[in-house]
Every structure is written in C-alpha cells, then in structure tokens.
Amino acid sequence: MAKKKQKKRTQNYKKQIGQVPGALIYTGNKLDNKLHLHAFDYSDEEYKEADLPTVEDAFNFKDSETVTWFNLNGLNFIDQIEKIGQHYNLHPLILEDIVNTSQRPKIDEYNDYFFIVLKMMYYDESETIVSEQVSMVMGKNYVLTFQEAEGDVFDGLRERIRHKKGRIRGEGSDYLLYALIDAIVDHYYAIIETMGNKIEDLEDELFTGLTQEEISQQIQNLKREILKIRRAIFPLREIINRLEKSEGSLIDEKTTHYFRDVYDHVIQVTENIDIYREMIWSLMDMYMTTISNKMNEVMKVLTIMATIFIPLTFIAGVYGMNFKNMPELDSQDGYYIVWAVMIVIFIGMIVYFKRKKWL
Amino acid sequence: MAKKKQKKRTQNYKKQIGQVPGALIYTGNKLDNKLHLHAFDYSDEEYKEADLPTVEDAFNFKDSETVTWFNLNGLNFIDQIEKIGQHYNLHPLILEDIVNTSQRPKIDEYNDYFFIVLKMMYYDESETIVSEQVSMVMGKNYVLTFQEAEGDVFDGLRERIRHKKGRIRGEGSDYLLYALIDAIVDHYYAIIETMGNKIEDLEDELFTGLTQEEISQQIQNLKREILKIRRAIFPLREIINRLEKSEGSLIDEKTTHYFRDVYDHVIQVTENIDIYREMIWSLMDMYMTTISNKMNEVMKVLTIMATIFIPLTFIAGVYGMNFKNMPELDSQDGYYIVWAVMIVIFIGMIVYFKRKKWL
Amino acid sequence: MAKKKQKKRTQNYKKQIGQVPGALIYTGNKLDNKLHLHAFDYSDEEYKEADLPTVEDAFNFKDSETVTWFNLNGLNFIDQIEKIGQHYNLHPLILEDIVNTSQRPKIDEYNDYFFIVLKMMYYDESETIVSEQVSMVMGKNYVLTFQEAEGDVFDGLRERIRHKKGRIRGEGSDYLLYALIDAIVDHYYAIIETMGNKIEDLEDELFTGLTQEEISQQIQNLKREILKIRRAIFPLREIINRLEKSEGSLIDEKTTHYFRDVYDHVIQVTENIDIYREMIWSLMDMYMTTISNKMNEVMKVLTIMATIFIPLTFIAGVYGMNFKNMPELDSQDGYYIVWAVMIVIFIGMIVYFKRKKWL
Amino acid sequence: MAKKKQKKRTQNYKKQIGQVPGALIYTGNKLDNKLHLHAFDYSDEEYKEADLPTVEDAFNFKDSETVTWFNLNGLNFIDQIEKIGQHYNLHPLILEDIVNTSQRPKIDEYNDYFFIVLKMMYYDESETIVSEQVSMVMGKNYVLTFQEAEGDVFDGLRERIRHKKGRIRGEGSDYLLYALIDAIVDHYYAIIETMGNKIEDLEDELFTGLTQEEISQQIQNLKREILKIRRAIFPLREIINRLEKSEGSLIDEKTTHYFRDVYDHVIQVTENIDIYREMIWSLMDMYMTTISNKMNEVMKVLTIMATIFIPLTFIAGVYGMNFKNMPELDSQDGYYIVWAVMIVIFIGMIVYFKRKKWL
Amino acid sequence: MAKKKQKKRTQNYKKQIGQVPGALIYTGNKLDNKLHLHAFDYSDEEYKEADLPTVEDAFNFKDSETVTWFNLNGLNFIDQIEKIGQHYNLHPLILEDIVNTSQRPKIDEYNDYFFIVLKMMYYDESETIVSEQVSMVMGKNYVLTFQEAEGDVFDGLRERIRHKKGRIRGEGSDYLLYALIDAIVDHYYAIIETMGNKIEDLEDELFTGLTQEEISQQIQNLKREILKIRRAIFPLREIINRLEKSEGSLIDEKTTHYFRDVYDHVIQVTENIDIYREMIWSLMDMYMTTISNKMNEVMKVLTIMATIFIPLTFIAGVYGMNFKNMPELDSQDGYYIVWAVMIVIFIGMIVYFKRKKWL
C-alpha cells in the first residue's frame, strides 16, 4: 500500500510538466471532498465562530480589528481558493503552492503577510504515517489555513479560543500562528513515541518469532518512515528561525519567546529522530550478528558430526573390504579391538573439541 | 553503450590540452547536424516568429525594445557562433564554453548580460538518460539559447508565447530566462519519476526473477544515473541563488519570487534524489541479506542431511565389516535391533533440530 | 530496566500534546518527594545558610546586595514553583521548562536573568547512568536552582562557601553560576572514566569468557550510553559560549576566563567521548573479525578431515564390493598394497595442506 | 616501486628536523641534473628568447617594461637560487619552499609578488603518476618558474609566445601566470582520462581474467593514485580563488575572468575525481559480491551432491551389513526394489531442489 | 602497557572532581623528578645562559630589554611554579593548566601575554608514542616554558642561540615562540615517518608471517596512535591561526610569515595523518579480503573432493550390498565396467570444474 502511494506521488509530478507557472492544479487525491469553510473572529472580550456557506462571507473579516482565523477544507475547489487569493491579494505562486500538495515545508515572506507550508503528520488506524499539507497565510489581523480534508490537529486550539483558556484570546494573529505551529509540532511527539515503541517491539522480536524476511521488511519500513518524518521536520528549523528573526511588524517581540520554545521542541524531535535512526542501524547490526551467529552454530554441529564420524566410517570401511588375506579379520579379538580403537578416536575428538571451546 | 559514451567524454578532455584558451572547439559528437536558427520577438501586444536563414538576420533584433529569444541548434557551426559573439559582444571564454559540451552547469556574471550553462535531461526510448547542454545568454531585451541538436523541452513555452498564455508576453527577458530554466527543471521531475519507478521495479524483482549478476548490474546503473543527475542539478542551486541575489538591473525584483519558486523545485528534486540514493543503498542491503539468507538455508539443509545420516552410515559400516568373530551378526534379531537403534537416532536428531529451530 | 525507562520517557511526550503552552505539568516520575528548600546568602565577610519551610521565606533574599543561592528540590510541587516564578518575575515558559524534565540542555537569555537547563549525570550503584535535570536562573544577585530530588553534585561547592575556600565568597552571582556548571562538568569526567574502564574490561573479555550474545548486548549498551552522554554534553558548548559572549552586565568580564576554562573541559570531555565511540566501533570490528576467524578455523578442520578421508573411504568401498571376479581380492598382498596406497595418499594430503598453510 | 618512492619521501621529512628555519636544503632526488636557465622577454610587438649561461644574465630583465618569464631547471643548484632570491628580493622562506619538493600546493601573498607552489602531474611510460613541483613567483613584469628537472607541460605555451598565438603577447605577467596554471590544470584532464580508462579496464577484467590478489592490488593502487591527485588539486581551488580576489594591482581585473575559467576547470576535475572515487568503491562492492556469489555457487553444488547421495549411500550401507538374518537379502527382487527406492529418492531430491530454485 | 597508561590517565580526571577551580594539582606521574631551571638571555650582540638554583634568580630577567627564555623542568614543584606565577602575574587558571598534564593543546590570550599548551611527541625506544605536555607563556621580552621532565626537542634551537645561527638572536620573543613551536612541529614529521614505515611493514606482513590475531592487534594499535596524534595536532591549526591574527603588539608583523610557514607544516602533517588513516582502512579491507579469499579456497577444495568422491563412493556401496540376486556381481566384467563408469564420472567432474573455473 505504501508502494501505491509512492506511485501516485510520482505521477503528480508529471502533471506539472509543461504547465504555465502559477497555474492552479490540485495534485492531491482527495477529489470527492466537499468544501468546508470555518471562521473564528475573536478579541479578548468577545468571539464569533461560524461555518460559512461561501468564501465571500469570509471577506468581511479581513478589515476588522479583531483576530480572524479562516480555515478552508477541500483543495479541489480551485475557483474558491482563487477568489480568496484575489480578495487577500495573494501572489499567484502562493495559490499554486496551496493546491500542490507535494510541497516541501517552507516559508515565503511577502510585504504584508507570511506564507507557510507545513506537514501535519499522524499514524492512521493501520499504523501507517499519514502526512497532510497545511498552508497558512498570516497577515496583520488574520490567519488563513488551507487543508486537504476534514480532521486535523487543531481541535485543542479551537477549544482554547472558545473557552478563553491560556493567553490566546488576548494576543494577536502572530500568537495564533504560533499556536497552530505548536499544535502541529506537538503531534510529531506522538509520531516519534509510536516509532520508539515500534523499534522497541522489533528489538524484542529480533530473537524470537519473526522470520528474516519479516524483520528485514520491518527495518526497511522503519527506515522509510524516519526518512519521511525527517523531510517534514528538518525545514521547520529554518522556518521558525526566520519567523523569529523577521524584521517586519507582523511578529511581536513578545511572541518571539514562544517561537523560540517551538524551536526547542523541533530540535528535540529532530534529535530523537536521529537517535531512532542510529538505533535502527544498531538493530540491523545486531540482526546481522544474530544471523551469522546462527550460521556459525549450524556449521559447528556439522563440523563436529562429520569430523568425528568420517575417520570412524573409514575404519569400518577398511574392514568391510573383501580381501582374501586380511589377518585381522580372522583374529578372535579383531572386532573388539577395532571397537576399542574407534571409541578412543571418538573420545579424543570430543576432548579436542572441548578444548577448542567448540562444544 | 553507457561505457562507449563514457569513453567519448574522456577523449573530449584530451582535445583541449595544449589549446589556446578561448579557442573554439566543438567537443560534442553530433557533427552532422544542420544549422537551425529560430527567433521569437514579442511584446504584450504583438509577436513575431521566424526561422532565420543566416545569423545576420538575427542582428536586427538586438536593439529593439521588444523581448527577443534567439535559439541556435548545431554547435558545430563554429563560425556562425563567432559571428553572434561579435555582434552581441560576448567574451571569448563564453563562446568557448558554448561549444564545449562537457561544461559543468554554471553562471557567469558580466557587465551587461548573464551567461548560464545548464543540462537538459530526459530518458530516451532505450531508457537511458540523455543529457544535452543548453547555454543561455540573457541581456537587457534578449535571451540567446544555444543547443547541440534539434528537439528540446521548450515547446510548451513556445506555445505560451504564441497564444499569450500565462504572463510571459507581458514580462521582460528576465521572466523569459526564468521560464526557460523552469521548463528544464520541470523535466527533471520526469527523470526522477522514471527513476523512482525503476527502483520500485527493481525492488519487486529482488526476490523473484533476476540473477544476482543482473541485479548487481542494475543497481550499479541506477547508482551511476543518480550520480549523473546530481551533477546536473546540484550547481543549479547556486545558479538560481545568484540570479535571485544579483544586484544589477537585469533581474526585476518582481521576477525574484519566480526564481525563488524554481529554487524550491530544485531543492525538492535534490531531496528526492537523495532519498532515491538512500533507497538504492537499502536495496543493496536487502539484496545482500537475501543472498546470505539463501546461503544460510542451503547450509542448513546440508547440515541436517549430513548430521542425520553420518552416524547412521557409520553404524551400517560397522556391521558391514567382515570379522570372523562378530557375535551380533549371528544373533537372530541383530538386524532388527540395529534398525531400531538407527530409527531412534534419526528421530532424536529430528527432535534436536526442531528444538534448535533449524527445521 | 533501561527499556522500562525508555517507555516512561516516551509517555511523557504524550501528556504534553494538546496542552496550553505554558501549562505547568511535572513530567518526571519522582512524585513522592517532599519539598526541600535551601538558601545560601553570602558576601566576602559573612554567610547565612538555612532550610526554609516555605518559599515565601526565600523572597527576602531577592533584593539584598549579598549573593543568594536558593535551591529547590521536588519539581512536583508546582504551586510552590509558580509562587517563586511570580516573585522573581519569571516568564511562564521558564516555569514550564523547569518542571518538564525531558528538556534538552539550553540557555535562554531574558532581560534581567539567564535561564539555563543542564543534565547532572552520574552512575548509580547498578552501573547505570542516571541523568537528572537541573534548571538554573541567574540574576543580578541571585542564582535559583531547581532539582528533581535530593542528592546532587554540589556538596563540594557548599563546603567552599561555608569555609570560604577559593574565591567564591569574594565574587558575584556570575561566579556562583560558573561554580555550579563547573561542578556538573567535573562529574562528567567521572562518567567518562567509568565508561573508559567498561570499554577496557570489554576489550579484555572479548577473547575470553563471554558468549557472543553477551558481548553484542554490552556493545549495544555502551553505544546507547555514549549517545545519552553526547546529548547532555554537546549543547553545553553553545551554552557556555553564549554566557561568555553575553553582552549584558550580568557576567563580569573577569569571570569570562573561568567560563573559558569550563569550555575547555567540555571540549575535552567531548573529545574523549568521540574517542570512546571510535574505540567501541573498533571493538565491534575486532569482535566480528574474531567470529569470522573462529568460523574459518572450524571450516578448516572440517575440510581437512573430509578431504583426507573421503578418497580413502572410497578406496575401502571399492574393495568392499562383492563382485565375483575381482583379481585384487585374491592376491596375497592386495590388502597390504591397498594400505600402502592409502597411507601414501594420507601423507600426500598432509604435505599439501602444510604447504598451503592450512595446518 | 611505488613503495620505494614512498620511503624516499618520508626520509625527506627527517632531513628537515633540527634545521634552521629558512635553510635551503634540496629534498628531491634528482641530484645529477645540470642547471638550465631559460628566459622569454616579450611584448605585443617583439619577443626575445634565450638560454642563459648564468643567473646573473637574467637580472637585466627585471626592470624592463616588457613581460619576462624566467625558468630555472635544477633545484640542486642552491647557490644559484639564492642569487636569484637576493636579486628579486625574495623572502628566505620562499627560497626554502622552492627547494623543498615535498611542499603542499599553496599561495603566499607578499607586498609586490605572489608565490605559488603547484604540482605538475603526468603518467610516465610505466603508467605511474609522476608529480613534479613547480614554484612560481609572479611580480609586476615578470614570472619566475622553478622546476626540478627538464621536461614540462609548458611547450604549448612557449609556442604561443613565439608565434603570437592567442592573446598572450598582448597581455601582462598576470595573464602569463594564468596561462602557466592553465597548462598545468589542462594536464590534470589527461590524468583523469587515463584514470577513467584504467577503471573501465578493471571493470571489464573483474569478471574475467584476473586473480583476486591482482584485482585487490589494482583497486588499492587506484585508490592511492586518487588520493595523490586529490592532494595536488584540492588546494588549487583556494589558490585560484585568492588570486581572483587579490586586492593589489598585480592582477588586472580583465584577467579575473580567465582565472574564473581555470577555477571552473579545477572544479570539474575535482568532481571527476570524486566520481572515480565512488566508482572504485562500487567496483569493490561488485567485486565482493562476485566473490560471495561464486562462494554461494560452490556451496550449492556441494550441498546438492552431498544431500542427494548421503541417504542413498546410507541405504547401500544398510544392505552391505553382514547379519545372518536379513530377509530382504534373500528376496529375489530385493536388489531391484532397493534400486527403485533409491531412484525415487534421487528424483524427489531433484524436484525439491528445483522448487527451491537451487538448481 | 598502553593499557596501563590509559588507566592512569583516567584516574587523573578523578582527582580533579570537587576541587576548588584554580587549585594546583600535578596530574602527571613523574613525581621523583628534581627541579631544573634554565635561562637564556640574549640580544643580537650578547647572550647569557645559566642553570638557576632557585626560581627567584629568574626574576631579574623579567624587566631586561633582552629576550629571556626561562625553562622549568619538574611540574611536581608546585610551590616554585606558584612563585613564578606571582612574579610574572599569571592568572591562577594558567598555573592550574600548567601542572594539569592532561590538557588539550590550546591558546589563551591575556592582556600582556599569550598562554599556549602543546604536546611534544616522540617514539621511545620501545616504539611507543610518548606525549609530553609543554606549556609556554610568551610576553613582551620573555618566553617561559614548563616541562614535565628532562629531555626535549629544543636542543637544536639552543645551539642556534648559542652560536648565533639563523636569525634568532636578532629577533624578539615572538620569533623565539615561533622557533619553539617549529621545533615541536618538526618532530611530528619524525612521528609520521615512523608511522608510515610501520604501515608499510604491516602491509608487507599481511600476506606472510603474522597470525590473524597479531595483524588485527597491530591495526588496532596503529588506529589508536593515529587518534592520539590527531588530538595533539588538530588544535594546533587554530592556535597558530590565532597567533598569526592576534591584534596586540606581541607578535610583530614580520614574524607572521614564519607562523604562516609553521601553519603550512601543520597542514601537511595533518594531511599525512589523514592519508595514513585511509591507508590503514585500506589495509583492513585488504586483510578482510585475504581472509575471505582463503576461506573460499578452503571451501573449494572441500567441495571438489566431496563432489567427486561422493557419487563414486555411492557406486562402490551399491555393489557392496549382500543381496543374493545381484546379476552384475556374477558377470565376469562387472568389476571392470564399474571401474570404467567411475573413471568416466571422475573425468566428467574434473572437466565440469575446469569449465566453471574452480580448478
């Protein structure tokens, strides 16, 4: 199934080739979504919340003094997104990036707004990492967020706005942007926790149940998931850094400490990923060692059996020969002497192997 | 065939040794091409397009206010290229670089124009990566492009000029340069898509049909192709960066956002290449593991067979001895007792191996 | 047991998700500690020391000219920590970081104080590395330290304050901060010493007693411990660097040389860790070589035994055939000739192996 | 022979120990060379060329307005080199570096001249890389070059001066310096071409003629040659960079473009070396895979033979026993039944192996 | 013995823990040395040299205009060193660093002097690298050097001062510092020469005399020695760089060229070390290849012997069966036909192996 997805992604690239730059083509695969528009408008004193039937309803918010968070679900409604773009005066390249879901996380600074692309990540019920693109435009009094489908990581944040928890209602749109990024980064912790558990489970299974193909497969999967997370998280460091150090008036100096805090979280997640990476490599090493140890044990048994019985069988072969004149054969004790010799050889071998620590 | 090509490339180096610097020597291998000159001249209102019989026909365009895109196919027509160089006042080293097709992608900034060398890449019908050099000179109102042979990646762009699609007709020569680079970078996506498919195919074949020599060969080929693409793409980051940050008046600030966009694409392609690289290494690891697993299985079968039958054969050998005095041989049940002993040993061995998980 | 711990740590992450930023949640696992507040207040002439029953008792110290070191044990007393935060005017994010014991070592510069998080490390009696978080707030005349539990590395420092050893009593709070960091770094030396001994012990055991599983396990453990120490120490370089280069008036220029000195110690510890890391890799190499050497030896014995006796057994087999007409069998010396041939073959084999250096 | 050379080089180091810094000791091994002094003096209109009997003859050139290129062969004539040093006012350390042929390529900037040390490299007739040190002093109107022995890579350049080819006669000493460096770098192309061919040859031989020792040896040699070239070329990047960016009046801005061009060549050579490096590593991988593949094949044959015949031989052994009471032996069809059983076992084995894909 | 040393070093760390910073504790192990004080005082015209009975005798030199080089042997005489520190106004941390012999090479810049710690290295008679710490304080007219024991690398330098060789007598204390560092760096050449010889010797022995354990041990030793040298030399680059770029008046601009020269030497040594490092890795590769080649050869012999004789032995076994009714046995030519069949099989096998290139 992971492979299927891969193939879809690479096909997305192709669609772009030969297109006019700035052309809006939705490259995701969730085409049957219905449009869902949701708006928050709040200040310290009051807050409004509404599901909007059309994007035009959102335009009134733009010039209010209060902070507006406008969220759009459904990137296949390209004409609606274009309307928003015109109203909020967004650069055509931004609109293109919003609907192109194979973007790399990035930040673009424009004169009167920031444009930020992030990857929201979570494990779905089949334990596969799902990565969904969230685009954000943050201006003087508003934050616009664009998502591919229903369901996101912002519900806690919405509750805090509704019930005036924490300091969100008293702060501006820069704090809202921080809170959105913080919610996304918080979920990375859940990802690396699950990943950590997976690695520990695999570690336990290394010496027990699984076949070599299964283990090899699982290690490959873990390596790929780590690659995927790294790609989503690494650019975040630069993004937050540039927000923190932006010189315009969009980010209040007071909020800088909060961005610094998310930055520390990102570094921590990054370090954990690197540690997991090294643990996976260690796992592979241990696994290879285990295999070669087993091989060794098998070889030893073969060697011991063969080495002990090969000369004995030879002796038996000798006295199985049919020569007329074989004096030993006629001797009364010949048979017993041969047995004695064979037992001596046998014991000698065992002692030799014991001394070599092969037994 | 890849090897043939390699050899030709290295010979090209030799030709240069001892040459006067700035001497024009075509180092490609497409000597039988005919010269093809093509010019676009356009502004927002109007556009002209013409196949030109001689380079002199192109000279009129130079001083027009409209944007001119002059394209030359056939780098073996050195005298014609020299004429263009004189007319457009190009530095001798630029002319040398245009006809030397083993250039590394680069940018040279001169007083009144940029000189850019890029690699146009595509898979040919035999699934081999073809890399063709495109040199570009971008001045105030013109872009000159020099290609080795017919056939390029700019047809979509030509259509956009002809039919006034997108914003190209309303912009200057800097936007044209952007559109040219963008077209080349767009094709890198096709390359990495094909490469991704190749890797996935190989992954599937790893456990099935192919012999070890074939797999080893294919992995080597993929590694080489990735090396080739990396060499073409990596310098692009610096090239676009310098275009974006150039201080002259050649690049309009408005166009900077577009270059930023191509830059993001280049980064994305670069990241994908690095991921494919790691996937190939993983493939090799899995492949080596598979081999050693098979080896293990083979060894186990040998060990089990040998270990079981070696002592049994020894027993049979003992009672094949021809001693006169061997009481067991005369016993009525001797034969059956020996069989019983051998069966007990056999079953004991099987149980032992089962417990060791070798069976 | 290491695994248990790991699991607890990753669970801590989860608790954070969805929390209001700045919320105080103790993430450690030492919930049954009792609160212990201790204060030093000293100048060159006099010193006071007291166990304080409530945090409010500590507030008088804040505005005194003398240097105050206030230490709190027991991070689960969140309300007490909040009171201190209010009194000393600490940013909410600082309080959050103090009680969140999975912080990465870091420094945050605020207007009138530094906030520093470090990891105190020591081996416990079961030879496991224990890492405990110490948070420090250093202001004009005071240093606040927050620890999870009783028992720390600062006893030597306390003695020096009490008995006026060294220059500590004559210096300001910046020197106290230095002395605290220095005490922590000094203990890293003990860690790397124990680690060095462990590596040497393992080196000795490589060729003697341990089984391959034990060795493999120990190498894995050492690699993990080194990872753990690296994570604690690496950020220290930047922390001390920023203290040294801070531009405010909090750090006296005179104290800079002392921070430089700790910096050198940190570099030294870092280098030792890297050396140990390389030694562990060398160990693994040697260990793998040892295994393959043993394997080789086993194979050689098998080969020699089999190669010598296989042709001999064949010969014996030939003359064990029951053909009526086998002239050799009737010959008087047949048996002796066969023995002679077999001995010649045997000796020939031995000579051949000797020459091949397999014996 | 390569080893001999190595030993000589390391001995050279020893001679230096304990010497006064600035002492002139020739550390090469070409002591029997005779001194050869050669001078070019040219301007756009005229040129003079002469073999000079003594260094004093060269002194007249110093103050002429025309460009002078003075070349000295024979670094063992230390007193002559000292005379030149005094006349041209060279720093004692420069003279020491000229005669010490184990220098690393470098550039030293002095007030009125540059001092540059380069390595001239070519394959000799026995396909070994020869590396000869060339020191250059470039001042206002002159370039001095110092070589160890006759024979260099500058003949093409000499012809261009003599016959006024290219722009050399019209330019200053900075262009002459460029032309000298360019000639040296051009020869690196020949080196890497030969190296490329060697690698390709080895690739072909991998599966055919050579023994494992020979292949292993050749791979080691190639790795060493690449190390050698890397050492010679890598410092060149910084050297040319500093020439290009030098702020004095010695390098005309016009010439900067030419240095940029050599810089690009150096980068290209560097990249090729890195590619060859990776190719050699790939070769080693393929070679190791080939070995383990062969091993596998050998093992399979052994396993198949042994596994098939071991049970059959056991059966034959059973009926070779001499028990009095063995009913099967007396049965009329016993022999044929045993054959049938053995054939069934044989075919069963073959089918089993076929299914396992071992055959 | 190397292990003994290691253990002593790590114990040194422990002694420091809990100490007052700035406390003087000699951490070396040469406690029975007697104190040896030696002073040079020289200018261009005259020079004095004396063994001083007490450190107080050295104090007169401090304010003279002539250059003074004061050398102390015996770091266990802590009180004497403290006296010097007081007289020359040295920072307590410097004194601590002088007697702590496990310092990393470093430079500390103070207002009126530099403090430099270096490692003097040489091979002792048992071919072990000895590393001794040399601390230097360089002020306006003096250089103080502190050594652990008698015997150093400065004898050549002393001779040059005595006999006015080179330019040392005419220069200031900065040139003396340069000459001291140069003498130490010169000895690194001897180290790497010996190391180079060791590697070459090991390379020769790889295919001849030594057992695998010995080779493995020697490779480990070489790797450790290289680690040790790297640690001593790498910091030197920064040290010399900072001396060269120091802005105070202590280093004359004229002397900068000399420091540049030592810098080049250090780079050269560093490069050689890196080459040796890669050579050792190559050695290990070759060694592993050799082992697996031998293994292969052993396996091949076993396979060939077994594969040839297993079917033959089976045939002999068949006709050793005792069935009453075996028509072949009664045939007159049966025995000869069986021989013929066996010979045909034998030759067929040989031919098969020849074709497979296993023979």
Side-chain angles (χ1 to χ4, degrees), chain C residues 160 178 200 203-204 257 264 268 271-272 275 286 293 296 299 310 322 324-325 327-328 349 356, chain E residues 3 6 21 102 104 106 212 224 231 295 297 299 305 319-322 329-330 332 335-336:
Chain C
R160 270 151 58 200
Y178 150 71
E200 282 165 25
E203 212 164 47
D204 294 343
H257 277 303
D264 285 341
Q268 214 173 355
E271 278 192 346
N272 271 292
I275 285 169
M286 280 179 71
N293 280 353
N296 256 19
M299 289 306 296
I310 279 174
N322 296 319
K324 287 271 144 63
N325 178 17
E328 299 98 318
M349 291 283 194
K356 283 273 186 187
Chain E
K3 203 165 288 175
Q6 188 78 11
S102 61
R104 189 176 172 263
K106 67 167 183 177
Q212 299 185 343
R224 245 174 242 188
R231 282 179 81 198
M295 181 83 171
E297 223 180 321
M299 289 307 295
M305 291 304 276
Y319 293 104
M321 292 194 292
N322 297 320
L329 296 182
D330 301 320
Q332 196 61 14
Y335 179 54
Y336 304 107

Side-chain angles (χ1 to χ4, degrees), chain C residues 156 160 165-167 175 178 182 186-187 189-190 192-193 196-197 200-201 203-204 207 254 257-258 260-261 264-265 267-268 271-272 275-276 278-279 282-283 285-286 289 292-293 295-296 299-300 302-303 306-307 310-311 313-314 317-328 349 352-353 356-358, chain E residues 3 6-7 9-11 13-14 16-21 91-93 96-97 102-104 106 108-110 212-213 216-217 220 223-224 227 231 235 242 277 281 284 287-288 291 294-295 297-299 301-302 305-306 309-310 312-313 315-316 319-322 328-332 334-336 338-339 342:
Chain C
R160 270 151 58 200
K165 273 199 284 189
R167 71 183 58 202
Y175 190 91
Y178 150 71
D182 192 51
D186 266 4
H187 267 74
Y189 278 105
I192 59 170
E193 184 194 358
N197 291 340
E200 282 165 25
D201 289 353
E203 212 164 47
D204 294 343
F207 300 106
K254 217 168 43 175
H257 277 303
Y258 289 96
R260 185 85 218 155
D261 197 55
D264 285 341
H265 291 171
I267 295 286
Q268 214 173 355
E271 278 192 346
N272 271 292
I275 285 169
Y276 287 155
E278 234 174 281
M279 280 169 79
S282 281
L283 265 186
D285 276 357
M286 280 179 71
T289 311
S292 80
N293 280 353
M295 180 86 171
N296 256 19
M299 289 306 296
K300 262 198 268 178
L302 171 61
T303 305
T307 311
I310 279 174
T313 305
F314 164 69
V318 164
Y319 293 103
M321 293 195 291
N322 296 319
F323 285 98
K324 287 271 144 63
N325 178 17
M326 284 177 73
E328 299 98 318
M349 291 283 194
Y352 178 77
F353 291 148
K356 283 273 186 187
K357 309 222 167 171
W358 296 351
Chain E
K3 203 165 288 175
Q6 188 78 11
K7 268 177 184 152
R9 181 167 59 78
T10 45
Q11 284 177 347
Y13 295 149
K14 212 167 210 165
Q16 296 182 338
I17 300 171
Q19 293 295 342
V20 185
H91 195 280
L93 287 170
E96 191 192 357
D97 288 346
S102 61
Q103 284 299 315
R104 189 176 172 263
K106 67 167 183 177
D108 281 339
E109 293 172 58
Y110 287 85
Q212 299 185 343
E213 271 77 22
S216 176
Q217 197 60 48
Q220 294 300 327
K223 275 162 77 179
R224 245 174 242 188
L227 263 181
R231 282 179 81 198
R242 276 172 64 187
R277 227 185 158 195
W281 282 108
M284 283 208 50
Y287 170 62
M288 293 314 283
I291 289 179
K294 267 199 187 152
M295 181 83 171
E297 223 180 321
V298 170
M299 289 307 295
V301 169
L302 171 62
M305 291 304 276
F309 284 103
I310 280 174
L312 301 187
T313 305
I315 291 170
Y319 293 104
M321 292 194 292
N322 297 320
E328 298 98 319
L329 296 182
D330 301 320
S331 134
Q332 196 61 14
Y335 179 54
Y336 304 107
V338 163
W339 260 122
M342 293 199 296

Side-chain angles (χ1 to χ4, degrees), chain D residues 102 212 224 295 319 330, chain E residues 200 203 268 293 296 322 324:
Chain D
S102 61
Q212 299 185 343
R224 245 174 242 189
M295 181 84 171
Y319 293 105
D330 301 321
Chain E
E200 282 166 24
E203 211 165 48
Q268 214 173 356
N293 281 352
N296 256 20
N322 297 320
K324 286 272 143 62

Side-chain angles (χ1 to χ4, degrees), chain C residues 279-291:
Chain C
M279 280 169 79
I280 289 174
W281 280 107
S282 281
L283 265 186
M284 283 208 50
D285 276 357
M286 280 179 71
Y287 170 61
M288 294 313 284
T289 311
T290 314
I291 289 180

